[in-house]
Amino acid sequence: MDPREPEAEAEPPPAPGVEVVTAELEAARAEAERYEDLYLRARADLDNQQKRMTREIETRAGHAKDALIRALLPVKDGLEAGLDRASTIADPAVAPFREGMEVALRGWNAAFGAAGVEPIEPLGQPFDPEHHEALAVRVATGRPPGTVVEVSQKGYSLGGRLIRPALVVVAE
């Protein structure tokens, strides 16, 4: 080919017809809708997974809190029993010890209250197997049958969940 000769101009490809452009547009729209659907599903899955993880974390934290409170309750029971015993002793040398125990018990009660731990007060109430554990049945004059007449050990709940049932004696 002679470099001086003008190159033959390439003809542009024929313009696609309206039908072809419309078909390509519809295919692009369908693909966009498919990708949007995939995105929305992935986003919903992620949201659901985050909600599940949040619930699981809250459940585990609740169980850990329950276990800690269950472990601390015998210490509180011992402090209360010691205070009850100390209050029966008239010796003035015991008074500072008793006062210290009262301060400690107020601290325990404040901490438990702040954590949402509530004592179950069953004395004089009808026996409730959901919150009480009967140790014995006793004849009790002046009390209707099925009424709690003695509490051997306090029960506690946390946020409406039973942590420890109250150990009680029930009227026959």
Side-chain angles (χ1 to χ4, degrees), residues 2-15:
D2 186 8
R4 285 179 262 155
E5 283 183 30
E7 289 184 24
E9 290 186 27
E11 289 185 23

Side-chain angles (χ1 to χ4, degrees), residues 47-61:
D47 288 345
N48 289 335
Q49 183 178 5
Q50 287 174 333
K51 290 175 186 174
R52 277 193 305 273
M53 291 302 295
T54 300
R55 279 193 307 269
E56 185 175 330
I57 289 169
E58 288 171 356
T59 299
R60 287 183 184 206

Side-chain angles (χ1 to χ4, degrees), residues 127-139:
F127 176 74
D128 179 2
E130 296 286 324
H131 296 99
H132 311 145
E133 188 174 317
L135 296 175
V137 177
R138 177 184 308 152
V139 175

Side-chain angles (χ1 to χ4, degrees), residues 15-16 43 45 51 87 91 113-114 117 127 143 157 164 167 171:
R43 182 68 201 173
D45 286 345
K51 290 175 186 174
S87 63
D91 186 351
V117 178
F127 176 74
R143 298 283 178 115
S157 65
R164 182 177 80 181
L167 301 179

